[in-house]
Amino acid sequence: MYETIQMLHSYLAYVALAILLIAVVNAISGLVSKRVFTMNKDLRLCLFTLIICHIQLLVGLILYFISPSGLNAIQEFGMGGLTSAARLLAVEHPFINILAIAAITIGWSRHKKFVEGDKKFKSIAIFYGIGLILILSRIPWSQWF
């Protein structure tokens, strides 16, 4: 079961990053070009990004509690006994990614309060962009390639 969830978390990460990058680029291009925020393309893209990121978070939380490099590593070695690589997986990666998903959720909630397209695009670009930067900063790159 652990291997299946880990594979799901790994492959879903590629999808989540790709769709998040597309949403940020779309929001920046919509803001720069003063485009109208459409319900068909822009809203669905932002909502799909939000849903995929939340699913990735849930899979990651499940993985955190069953993985030997998650909560079990903290219980076994303590916070002071973790190496930098183990600390990345057990502490930094989950914490920063929860903050990233919170930023993405705030961006989604804020954009709904605005009527003007430029404010909607600006809210999505800022908060989804912050989420993307946070996620990219705490990916265990050595395990990806």
Side-chain angles (χ1 to χ4, degrees), residues 98-109:
I98 289 170
L99 291 179
I101 301 302
I104 291 168
T105 306
I106 291 169
W108 171 258
S109 297

Side-chain angles (χ1 to χ4, degrees), residues 8 26 29-31 64 69 84-85 113 116 123 125-126 138 142:
L8 176 64
N26 180 62
S29 70
L31 184 63
Y64 180 74
S69 60
S84 63
K113 297 178 182 178
E116 301 87 15
S123 178
I126 291 172
R138 292 295 108 196
S142 62

Side-chain angles (χ1 to χ4, degrees), residues 31 110 128:
L31 184 63
R110 281 182 44 96
Y128 279 42

Side-chain angles (χ1 to χ4, degrees), residues 72-119:
N72 292 334
I74 295 173
Q75 291 172 340
E76 184 176 337
F77 300 111
M79 290 296 287
L82 296 174
T83 65
S84 63
R87 188 182 65 241
L88 173 67
L89 291 176
V91 180
E92 295 169 6
H93 179 74
F95 179 71
I96 295 298
N97 286 334
I98 289 170
L99 291 179
I101 301 302
I104 291 168
T105 306
I106 291 169
W108 171 258
S109 297
R110 281 182 44 96
H111 108 277
K112 294 189 299 185
K113 297 178 182 178
F114 300 120
V115 177
E116 301 87 15
D118 60 335
K119 289 184 179 179

Side-chain angles (χ1 to χ4, degrees), residues 27 30-31 34-38 42 111 114-124:
L31 184 63
K34 305 275 189 218
R35 197 173 68 227
V36 176
F37 191 88
T38 62
D42 301 317
H111 108 277
F114 300 120
V115 177
E116 301 87 15
D118 60 335
K119 289 184 179 179
K120 286 180 176 283
F121 282 126
K122 185 176 182 181
S123 178
I124 294 295

